[in-house]
Amino acid sequence: MPLKIGSLVDNRYRISARIGHGGMAEVYEAHDVINKKVVAIKLIREDVMSNPVNLLRFKNEASIAASLNHPNIVKVFNHGTIDGIPYIANEYVKGQNLKEVLDFRSSLPLQEAIDIMMQLSAALSYAHQRGIVHRDVKPDNLYVMGDGTIKLGDFGIAQTDSSAQLTSQGSEIVGSVHYLAPEITSGKPATAQSDIYAAGVTFYELITGHVPYLKDKAIDIAIAHVKEKFPSPKKWLPNCPREVERIIFKCVKKNPKERYANANELYNDLKALKDNPKAIKEKKGFFARIFGFK
């Protein structure tokens, strides 16, 4: 049921444009006539809604995200139904997601990537302290605002203690395979450390322009996360500073207990790097220093 331009949703949101079409929902720009602000309306697609698991996930996103209020998380203002079809009214994010940025720029400078990762770890720390595991951390779900602020969105498969039913729908493993922590592939429940693993993969991708395991089949990628040594970012970025490599490797330890204990610890290590530019200064080889070439 597409919304008509000019129609009023819940006597509050005046639809002004259709701005997107995703796997789960149609997205519209709307004007909140009460708060006088622009919002995004996500309306679950009717074909998607016929699957009860999809419907549960959409409602899950609405209830979980609405409980969060953090500058690095896309804010949900309201949710309800339109003629029986669920919708979410959230902050209007005008900009690209990080996947689109990487598609255009290939990779990001270290300082920029560190700043992004600090914002992501701050968002994760906030969510984890409230018992929420995102379970789908990746560049596609990180949005870049005009002022450089990064916002984590898409909490459709996020998990709380009360939403564990989403992980017990048969044997389905949810999440994106390139960022999937080994314990999830092995059938264990996601934890905060699973999000930290995905954050480490994201950091790797931001600075190298590549995901760690380049294989054709999803099952082979999942197995690689479990069994294969995680590649060094130096494979693509030979001058990657040792401290950056150390942070990534700590995030992506196969054993969750060996990763950062929490996202705040990750944030502190990233901040220490940001505050010490010399630690991430590109190190040149002997001949580069003497003769000036790379």
Side-chain angles (χ1 to χ4, degrees), residues 37-293:
K37 65 169 66 174
V38 177
V39 300
I41 299 290
K42 292 175 67 173
L43 183 71
I44 190 170
R45 289 172 25 206
E46 289 185 81
D47 59 320
V48 171
M49 193 174 74
S50 62
N51 183 327
V53 174
N54 290 334
L55 184 60
L56 189 61
R57 286 179 183 162
F58 192 84
K59 291 179 177 179
N60 183 64
E61 176 176 9
S63 60
I64 287 180
S67 71
L68 301 175
N69 186 15
H70 188 275
N72 297 118
I73 294 176
V74 176
K75 178 62 181 170
V76 168
F77 300 120
N78 198 2
H79 55 93
T81 59
I82 305 169
D83 294 334
I85 300 175
Y87 80 88
I88 300 172
N90 59 239
E91 178 180 6
Y92 182 63
V93 179
K94 192 173 183 178
Q96 296 178 303
N97 64 42
L98 272 178
K99 176 62 175 172
E100 293 168 329
V101 172
L102 286 172
D103 286 345
F104 181 72
R105 296 174 60 188
S106 296
S107 62
L108 304 181
L110 285 172
Q111 284 280 19
E112 186 176 351
I114 289 167
D115 182 66
I116 288 169
M117 291 303 301
M118 285 178 65
Q119 295 185 67
L120 170 57
S121 55
L124 290 176
S125 180
Y126 175 87
H128 293 164
Q129 287 172 26
R130 284 151 185 80
I132 296 168
V133 179
H134 188 279
R135 298 203 302 159
D136 203 15
V137 173
K138 58 182 179 180
D140 310 60
N141 291 337
L142 291 163
Y143 299 89
V144 187
M145 306 296 281
D147 62 358
T149 300
I150 300 298
K151 289 183 178 282
L152 176 63
D154 297 278
F155 281 76
I157 62 170
Q159 176 185 314
T160 66
D161 292 340
S162 60
S163 66
Q165 58 196 10
L166 283 176
T167 63
S168 59
Q169 303 287 337
S171 58
E172 181 186 15
I173 294 174
V174 293
S176 302
V177 68
H178 285 293
Y179 311 88
L180 209 58
E183 64 272 15
I184 299 176
T185 300
S186 301
K188 296 176 182 176
T191 66
Q193 276 62 44
S194 308
D195 280 351
I196 289 171
Y197 185 95
V201 177
T202 297
F203 195 8
Y204 180 98
E205 187 176 4
L206 292 181
I207 65 173
T208 68
H210 298 271
V211 289
Y213 300 113
L214 301 173
K215 300 178 185 293
D216 294 330
K217 296 181 180 179
I219 185 64
D220 292 333
I221 297 168
I223 291 171
H225 278 288
V226 175
K227 295 186 174 181
E228 291 187 18
K229 181 180 178 181
F230 196 92
S232 169
K234 290 184 178 181
K235 175 182 178 181
W236 306 103
L237 190 68
N239 294 319
C240 179
R242 185 178 302 172
E243 187 60 19
V244 170
E245 183 185 49
R246 184 193 71 80
I247 289 173
I248 291 173
F249 280 163
K250 188 167 182 178
C251 287
V252 298
K253 291 287 187 182
K254 303 295 186 191
N255 184 347
K257 293 180 181 178
E258 295 178 5
R259 297 174 205 152
Y260 286 98
N262 53 64
N264 195 52
E265 282 190 5
L266 171 59
Y267 177 91
N268 289 337
D269 271 4
L270 291 163
K271 188 174 187 305
L273 267 188
K274 184 177 181 179
D275 292 345
N276 182 19
K278 289 183 179 179
I280 57 173
K281 188 176 180 181
E282 182 178 308
K283 293 177 175 60
K284 294 184 178 181
F286 173 77
F287 290 104
R289 294 198 305 272
I290 299 298
F291 299 107
F293 57 76

